Amino acid sequence: MCSSDLEVAAVSHALARHRAGLNPDEAMMAGLLHDIGVLPVVMHAAKRPELQARKALEPVIARLHGRIGRRILESWNFAPALVEVADGHEELSRAGADRPDYTDIVLVANLYCHRADGHPLGEVDWTQVPAAARLGLASAEEIAESPQLAESISDARALLGLSPGAAPPVARSGVAPKPVPASARRDPAGVSRREGGFLRWLRRLFGFAPG
């Protein structure tokens, strides 16, 4: 489990408890699993030299990890509300319903955990994100400066085996960079060819490919 997934899970737990009226344990589970679709991509990339470089791997992850995550969670019979998280947690403009849902919670928690690590998600204007508005938040500072949320995040981090103090900025390392928002993505030549080989591998491994 990547440390960033644990951080997102801890923040999701706190937001569900204090901002959304949703089940905090379900929100924590959603945070833990939101990037489950990255794992098969990385497993495949480890066997493909042309995907070892970040520049080559990043657009493949960005394009596929949401759809793959959805199919994995569907195949494991997760509730539809949690399945949606895998595919929607980086859709910054998603409309959603009037009330926040688990995808909103994880989306905002993900933004918060990237607030100071140099990732493009850390530069997002929260006032332009409908999910943040549904949670009554306009900036990352509103979470960081809330004693109630800070205490809940600290408790959740301790539960997950992390230091119970304030969450540090989260940066991915190694071969699995965090996908960037759609506005910042690039689709270099060769992605479609690499993707085709990956989809064949995915069918062999899991018995499906994202539609």
Coordinates of all heavy atoms in Angstrom, one line a residue, residues 43-107:
M43 N 2.6 -3.1 -12.7 CA 3.1 -4.5 -12.9 C 3.5 -4.7 -14.3 O 4.5 -5.4 -14.6 CB 2.0 -5.4 -12.5 CG 1.7 -5.4 -11.0 SD 0.2 -6.3 -10.6 CE 0.6 -8.0 -11.2
H44 N 2.7 -4.2 -15.3 CA 3.0 -4.4 -16.7 C 4.3 -3.7 -17.1 O 5.1 -4.2 -17.8 CB 1.8 -4.0 -17.5 CG 2.0 -4.1 -19.0 ND1 2.2 -5.3 -19.6 CD2 2.2 -3.1 -19.9 CE1 2.3 -5.1 -20.9 NE2 2.4 -3.8 -21.1
A45 N 4.4 -2.4 -16.6 CA 5.5 -1.6 -16.9 C 6.8 -2.2 -16.5 O 7.9 -2.0 -17.1 CB 5.3 -0.2 -16.3
A46 N 6.8 -2.9 -15.4 CA 8.0 -3.5 -14.9 C 8.6 -4.5 -15.9 O 9.8 -4.8 -15.8 CB 7.7 -4.2 -13.5
K47 N 7.8 -5.0 -16.8 CA 8.3 -6.0 -17.8 C 8.5 -5.4 -19.1 O 8.9 -6.1 -20.1 CB 7.2 -7.1 -17.9 CG 6.8 -7.8 -16.6 CD 5.7 -8.8 -16.8 CE 5.3 -9.5 -15.5 NZ 4.2 -10.4 -15.7
R48 N 8.3 -4.1 -19.2 CA 8.4 -3.4 -20.5 C 9.4 -2.2 -20.4 O 9.1 -1.2 -19.8 CB 7.0 -2.9 -20.9 CG 6.0 -3.9 -21.1 CD 6.2 -4.7 -22.4 NE 6.1 -3.9 -23.6 CZ 4.9 -3.7 -24.2 NH1 3.8 -4.2 -23.7 NH2 4.9 -3.0 -25.3
P49 N 10.6 -2.4 -20.9 CA 11.6 -1.3 -20.8 C 11.1 0.0 -21.4 O 11.5 1.0 -20.8 CB 12.8 -1.9 -21.7 CG 12.6 -3.4 -21.6 CD 11.1 -3.6 -21.6
E50 N 10.3 0.0 -22.4 CA 9.9 1.3 -23.0 C 8.9 2.0 -22.1 O 8.6 3.2 -22.3 CB 9.2 1.0 -24.4 CG 7.9 0.3 -24.3 CD 8.0 -1.2 -24.4 OE1 9.1 -1.7 -24.0 OE2 7.0 -1.8 -24.7
L51 N 8.4 1.4 -21.0 CA 7.5 2.0 -20.1 C 8.2 2.4 -18.8 O 7.5 2.8 -17.8 CB 6.3 1.2 -19.8 CG 5.3 1.0 -21.0 CD1 4.2 0.0 -20.6 CD2 4.7 2.3 -21.4
Q52 N 9.5 2.1 -18.7 CA 10.2 2.4 -17.4 C 10.3 3.9 -17.1 O 10.3 4.3 -16.0 CB 11.6 1.7 -17.4 CG 11.5 0.2 -17.4 CD 10.9 -0.4 -16.1 OE1 11.4 0.0 -15.1 NE2 10.0 -1.2 -16.3
A53 N 10.5 4.7 -18.1 CA 10.7 6.1 -18.0 C 9.4 6.8 -17.5 O 8.3 6.4 -18.0 CB 11.2 6.7 -19.2
R54 N 9.5 7.7 -16.6 CA 8.3 8.4 -16.1 C 7.5 9.0 -17.3 O 6.2 9.0 -17.3 CB 8.7 9.5 -15.1 CG 7.5 10.3 -14.6 CD 8.0 11.4 -13.7 NE 6.9 12.2 -13.2 CZ 6.6 12.3 -11.9 NH1 7.4 11.6 -11.0 NH2 5.6 13.0 -11.5
K55 N 8.2 9.6 -18.2 CA 7.5 10.3 -19.3 C 6.7 9.4 -20.2 O 5.6 9.7 -20.7 CB 8.6 11.0 -20.2 CG 8.0 11.8 -21.4 CD 9.1 12.5 -22.2 CE 8.5 13.3 -23.3 NZ 9.6 14.0 -24.1
A56 N 7.1 8.1 -20.3 CA 6.4 7.1 -21.0 C 5.2 6.5 -20.2 O 4.1 6.3 -20.8 CB 7.3 6.0 -21.5
L57 N 5.5 6.3 -19.0 CA 4.5 5.6 -18.1 C 3.3 6.5 -17.7 O 2.2 6.1 -17.6 CB 5.2 5.0 -16.9 CG 4.3 4.3 -15.9 CD1 3.6 3.1 -16.5 CD2 5.2 3.8 -14.7
E58 N 3.6 7.8 -17.4 CA 2.7 8.7 -16.8 C 1.4 8.8 -17.7 O 0.3 8.7 -17.1 CB 3.3 10.1 -16.6 CG 2.5 11.0 -15.7 CD 3.3 12.2 -15.3 OE1 3.7 12.9 -16.2 OE2 3.4 12.4 -14.1
P59 N 1.5 9.0 -19.0 CA 0.2 9.2 -19.8 C -0.6 7.9 -19.8 O -1.8 7.9 -20.0 CB 0.7 9.6 -21.1 CG 2.1 9.2 -21.2 CD 2.7 9.3 -19.8
V60 N 0.1 6.7 -19.8 CA -0.6 5.4 -19.8 C -1.4 5.3 -18.5 O -2.6 4.9 -18.5 CB 0.4 4.3 -20.0 CG1 -0.4 2.9 -19.9 CG2 1.1 4.4 -21.3
I61 N -0.8 5.6 -17.3 CA -1.5 5.6 -16.1 C -2.6 6.5 -16.1 O -3.8 6.2 -15.7 CB -0.5 5.9 -14.9 CG1 0.5 4.8 -14.7 CG2 -1.3 6.2 -13.6 CD1 1.6 5.1 -13.6
A62 N -2.4 7.7 -16.5 CA -3.4 8.8 -16.5 C -4.7 8.3 -17.4 O -5.8 8.6 -17.0 CB -2.9 10.1 -17.1
R63 N -4.4 7.7 -18.5 CA -5.5 7.3 -19.4 C -6.3 6.1 -18.8 O -7.5 6.0 -19.0 CB -4.9 7.0 -20.8 CG -6.0 6.4 -21.7 CD -5.4 6.2 -23.1 NE -5.1 7.5 -23.8 CZ -4.7 7.6 -25.0 NH1 -4.6 6.5 -25.8 NH2 -4.4 8.7 -25.6
L64 N -5.6 5.2 -18.2 CA -6.2 3.9 -17.9 C -6.5 3.6 -16.5 O -7.4 2.7 -16.2 CB -5.3 2.7 -18.5 CG -5.1 2.6 -20.0 CD1 -4.1 1.5 -20.3 CD2 -6.4 2.4 -20.7
H65 N -5.9 4.2 -15.5 CA -6.0 3.7 -14.2 C -7.4 3.8 -13.6 O -7.8 2.9 -12.8 CB -5.0 4.4 -13.2 CG -5.4 5.7 -12.7 ND1 -5.5 6.8 -13.4 CD2 -5.8 6.0 -11.4 CE1 -5.9 7.8 -12.7 NE2 -6.1 7.4 -11.4
G66 N -8.2 4.8 -14.0 CA -9.5 4.9 -13.5 C -10.5 3.8 -14.0 O -11.2 3.2 -13.2
R67 N -10.4 3.6 -15.3 CA -11.3 2.5 -15.9 C -10.9 1.2 -15.4 O -11.7 0.3 -15.1 CB -11.1 2.6 -17.4 CG -11.9 3.8 -18.0 CD -11.7 3.7 -19.5 NE -10.3 4.1 -19.9 CZ -9.8 3.8 -21.1 NH1 -10.5 3.1 -22.0 NH2 -8.6 4.1 -21.4
I68 N -9.5 0.9 -15.2 CA -9.1 -0.4 -14.7 C -9.5 -0.5 -13.3 O -10.0 -1.6 -12.9 CB -7.6 -0.5 -14.8 CG1 -7.1 -0.5 -16.3 CG2 -7.1 -1.7 -14.1 CD1 -5.6 -0.4 -16.5
G69 N -9.4 0.5 -12.5 CA -9.8 0.5 -11.1 C -11.3 0.1 -11.0 O -11.7 -0.7 -10.1
R70 N -12.1 0.8 -11.8 CA -13.6 0.5 -11.8 C -13.8 -1.0 -12.1 O -14.6 -1.6 -11.3 CB -14.3 1.3 -12.9 CG -15.7 0.9 -13.1 CD -16.3 1.8 -14.2 NE -16.7 3.1 -13.7 CZ -17.8 3.4 -13.1 NH1 -18.7 2.5 -12.8 NH2 -18.0 4.7 -12.7
R71 N -13.2 -1.5 -13.1 CA -13.4 -2.9 -13.4 C -13.0 -3.9 -12.3 O -13.6 -4.9 -12.1 CB -12.8 -3.3 -14.8 CG -13.4 -2.6 -16.0 CD -14.8 -2.9 -16.2 NE -15.0 -4.4 -16.4 CZ -14.9 -4.9 -17.6 NH1 -14.7 -4.2 -18.7 NH2 -15.1 -6.2 -17.7
I72 N -11.8 -3.6 -11.7 CA -11.3 -4.4 -10.6 C -12.3 -4.4 -9.5 O -12.7 -5.5 -9.0 CB -10.0 -3.9 -10.1 CG1 -8.9 -4.2 -11.2 CG2 -9.6 -4.6 -8.8 CD1 -7.5 -3.6 -10.9
L73 N -12.8 -3.3 -9.1 CA -13.7 -3.2 -7.9 C -15.1 -3.8 -8.3 O -15.7 -4.4 -7.4 CB -13.9 -1.7 -7.5 CG -12.6 -1.1 -6.9 CD1 -12.9 0.3 -6.3 CD2 -11.9 -2.0 -5.8
E74 N -15.5 -3.6 -9.5 CA -16.7 -4.3 -9.9 C -16.6 -5.8 -9.9 O -17.5 -6.5 -9.4 CB -17.1 -3.9 -11.4 CG -17.7 -2.5 -11.5 CD -17.9 -2.1 -12.9 OE1 -17.3 -2.7 -13.8 OE2 -18.7 -1.2 -13.1
S75 N -15.4 -6.3 -10.3 CA -15.2 -7.8 -10.3 C -15.1 -8.3 -8.9 O -15.4 -9.5 -8.6 CB -13.9 -8.1 -11.1 OG -12.8 -7.7 -10.4
W76 N -14.8 -7.4 -7.9 CA -14.7 -7.8 -6.5 C -16.0 -7.5 -5.8 O -16.1 -7.7 -4.6 CB -13.6 -7.1 -5.8 CG -12.2 -7.6 -6.2 CD1 -11.9 -8.7 -6.9 CD2 -11.0 -6.9 -6.0 NE1 -10.5 -8.7 -7.2 CE2 -9.9 -7.7 -6.6 CE3 -10.6 -5.7 -5.3 CZ2 -8.6 -7.3 -6.5 CZ3 -9.3 -5.3 -5.2 CH2 -8.3 -6.1 -5.8
N77 N -17.0 -7.1 -6.5 CA -18.4 -6.9 -6.0 C -18.4 -5.8 -4.9 O -19.2 -5.9 -3.9 CB -19.0 -8.2 -5.4 CG -19.2 -9.2 -6.5 OD1 -19.7 -8.9 -7.6 ND2 -18.8 -10.5 -6.2
F78 N -17.6 -4.7 -5.1 CA -17.8 -3.6 -4.2 C -19.0 -2.8 -4.5 O -19.6 -2.9 -5.6 CB -16.5 -2.7 -4.4 CG -15.4 -3.1 -3.5 CD1 -14.5 -4.1 -3.9 CD2 -15.1 -2.4 -2.3 CE1 -13.4 -4.4 -3.1 CE2 -14.1 -2.7 -1.5 CZ -13.2 -3.8 -1.9
A79 N -19.5 -2.1 -3.6 CA -20.7 -1.3 -3.7 C -20.5 -0.2 -4.8 O -19.4 0.3 -5.0 CB -21.1 -0.6 -2.4
P80 N -21.5 0.1 -5.6 CA -21.4 1.0 -6.7 C -20.8 2.4 -6.3 O -20.0 3.0 -7.0 CB -22.8 1.2 -7.2 CG -23.5 -0.1 -6.9 CD -22.9 -0.6 -5.6
A81 N -21.1 2.8 -5.1 CA -20.6 4.1 -4.6 C -19.1 4.1 -4.5 O -18.4 5.1 -4.7 CB -21.3 4.5 -3.3
L82 N -18.5 2.9 -4.1 CA -17.1 2.8 -4.0 C -16.4 2.6 -5.4 O -15.3 3.0 -5.6 CB -16.7 1.7 -3.0 CG -17.2 1.9 -1.6 CD1 -16.6 0.9 -0.7 CD2 -16.7 3.3 -1.1
V83 N -17.1 1.8 -6.2 CA -16.6 1.6 -7.6 C -16.4 2.9 -8.3 O -15.4 3.1 -9.0 CB -17.6 0.7 -8.4 CG1 -17.2 0.6 -9.8 CG2 -17.6 -0.7 -7.8
E84 N -17.4 3.8 -8.1 CA -17.3 5.1 -8.8 C -16.1 5.9 -8.4 O -15.5 6.7 -9.2 CB -18.6 5.9 -8.5 CG -18.6 7.3 -9.1 CD -18.6 7.3 -10.6 OE1 -19.1 6.3 -11.2 OE2 -18.1 8.3 -11.1
V85 N -15.6 5.7 -7.1 CA -14.5 6.5 -6.7 C -13.3 6.2 -7.5 O -12.5 7.1 -7.9 CB -14.2 6.1 -5.2 CG1 -12.9 6.7 -4.7 CG2 -15.3 6.6 -4.3
A86 N -13.0 4.9 -7.9 CA -11.9 4.6 -8.7 C -11.8 5.3 -10.0 O -10.8 5.7 -10.5 CB -11.8 3.1 -8.9
D87 N -13.0 5.5 -10.6 CA -13.0 6.1 -11.9 C -13.3 7.6 -11.9 O -13.1 8.2 -12.9 CB -14.2 5.4 -12.7 CG -14.0 5.5 -14.2 OD1 -12.9 5.9 -14.7 OD2 -15.0 5.2 -14.9
G88 N -13.6 8.1 -10.8 CA -14.0 9.6 -10.8 C -13.2 10.5 -9.8 O -13.5 11.7 -9.8
H89 N -12.2 9.9 -9.2 CA -11.5 10.7 -8.1 C -10.6 11.8 -8.7 O -10.1 12.6 -7.9 CB -10.8 9.8 -7.2 CG -9.6 9.2 -7.8 ND1 -9.7 8.0 -8.4 CD2 -8.3 9.5 -7.8 CE1 -8.5 7.6 -8.9 NE2 -7.6 8.6 -8.5
E90 N -10.4 11.8 -10.0 CA -9.7 12.9 -10.6 C -10.5 13.7 -11.6 O -9.9 14.6 -12.3 CB -8.4 12.4 -11.2 CG -7.4 12.0 -10.1 CD -6.0 11.6 -10.7 OE1 -5.9 11.5 -11.9 OE2 -5.1 11.3 -9.9
E91 N -11.8 13.5 -11.6 CA -12.6 14.3 -12.5 C -13.0 15.6 -11.8 O -14.0 15.7 -11.1 CB -13.9 13.5 -12.9 CG -13.6 12.3 -13.8 CD -14.9 11.6 -14.2 OE1 -16.0 12.2 -14.0 OE2 -14.8 10.4 -14.6
L92 N -12.1 16.6 -11.9 CA -12.3 17.8 -11.1 C -13.6 18.5 -11.3 O -14.0 19.3 -10.5 CB -11.1 18.7 -11.3 CG -9.7 18.1 -11.0 CD1 -8.6 19.1 -11.2 CD2 -9.7 17.5 -9.6
S93 N -14.1 18.4 -12.5 CA -15.3 19.1 -12.9 C -16.6 18.3 -12.7 O -17.7 18.7 -13.2 CB -15.2 19.7 -14.3 OG -15.1 18.6 -15.2
R94 N -16.5 17.1 -12.1 CA -17.7 16.2 -12.1 C -18.8 16.9 -11.3 O -18.7 17.6 -10.3 CB -17.4 14.9 -11.4 CG -17.1 14.9 -9.9 CD -16.7 13.5 -9.4 NE -17.8 12.6 -9.4 CZ -18.6 12.4 -8.4 NH1 -18.5 13.1 -7.3 NH2 -19.6 11.5 -8.5
A95 N -20.0 16.8 -11.9 CA -21.2 17.5 -11.3 C -21.7 16.9 -10.1 O -21.9 17.5 -9.0 CB -22.3 17.6 -12.4
G96 N -21.9 15.6 -10.1 CA -22.5 14.9 -8.9 C -23.9 15.3 -8.6 O -24.6 16.0 -9.3
A97 N -24.3 15.0 -7.4 CA -25.6 15.3 -6.9 C -25.5 16.5 -6.0 O -24.4 17.2 -5.9 CB -26.2 14.1 -6.1
D98 N -26.6 16.9 -5.3 CA -26.6 18.1 -4.5 C -25.8 17.8 -3.2 O -25.1 18.7 -2.7 CB -28.0 18.5 -4.1 CG -28.8 19.0 -5.3 OD1 -28.1 19.5 -6.2 OD2 -30.0 18.9 -5.2
R99 N -25.8 16.6 -2.7 CA -25.1 16.2 -1.5 C -23.8 15.5 -1.9 O -23.7 14.8 -2.9 CB -25.9 15.3 -0.7 CG -27.2 15.9 -0.1 CD -28.0 14.9 0.7 NE -27.2 14.3 1.8 CZ -27.1 14.9 3.0 NH1 -27.6 16.0 3.2 NH2 -26.4 14.3 3.9
P100 N -22.7 15.7 -1.1 CA -21.5 15.0 -1.4 C -21.5 13.5 -1.3 O -22.3 13.0 -0.5 CB -20.5 15.6 -0.3 CG -21.4 16.0 0.8 CD -22.7 16.5 0.2
D101 N -20.7 12.8 -2.1 CA -20.7 11.4 -2.0 C -19.2 11.0 -1.8 O -18.3 11.8 -1.6 CB -21.2 10.8 -3.3 CG -20.5 11.3 -4.6 OD1 -19.4 11.8 -4.5 OD2 -21.0 11.1 -5.7
Y102 N -18.9 9.7 -1.8 CA -17.6 9.2 -1.5 C -16.6 9.6 -2.6 O -15.4 9.9 -2.2 CB -17.6 7.7 -1.4 CG -18.4 7.2 -0.2 CD1 -19.6 6.5 -0.3 CD2 -17.9 7.4 1.1 CE1 -20.3 6.1 0.8 CE2 -18.6 7.0 2.2 CZ -19.8 6.3 2.1 OH -20.5 5.9 3.2
T103 N -17.0 9.8 -3.8 CA -16.1 10.3 -4.8 C -15.7 11.7 -4.5 O -14.5 12.1 -4.7 CB -16.7 10.2 -6.2 OG1 -17.1 8.8 -6.5 CG2 -15.7 10.6 -7.3
D104 N -16.6 12.5 -4.1 CA -16.3 13.9 -3.7 C -15.3 13.9 -2.6 O -14.3 14.7 -2.6 CB -17.6 14.6 -3.3 CG -18.5 15.0 -4.4 OD1 -18.1 15.0 -5.6 OD2 -19.7 15.1 -4.1
I105 N -15.5 13.1 -1.6 CA -14.6 13.0 -0.5 C -13.2 12.7 -0.9 O -12.2 13.3 -0.5 CB -15.2 12.1 0.6 CG1 -16.4 12.6 1.2 CG2 -14.1 11.7 1.7 CD1 -17.1 11.6 2.1
V106 N -13.1 11.6 -1.6 CA -11.7 11.1 -2.0 C -11.1 12.1 -3.0 O -9.8 12.4 -2.9 CB -11.8 9.7 -2.6 CG1 -10.4 9.3 -3.2 CG2 -12.3 8.7 -1.6
L107 N -11.8 12.7 -3.9 CA -11.3 13.7 -4.8 C -10.7 14.9 -4.0 O -9.5 15.3 -4.2 CB -12.4 14.2 -5.7 CG -12.0 15.1 -6.9 CD1 -13.1 15.0 -8.0 CD2 -11.9 16.6 -6.4

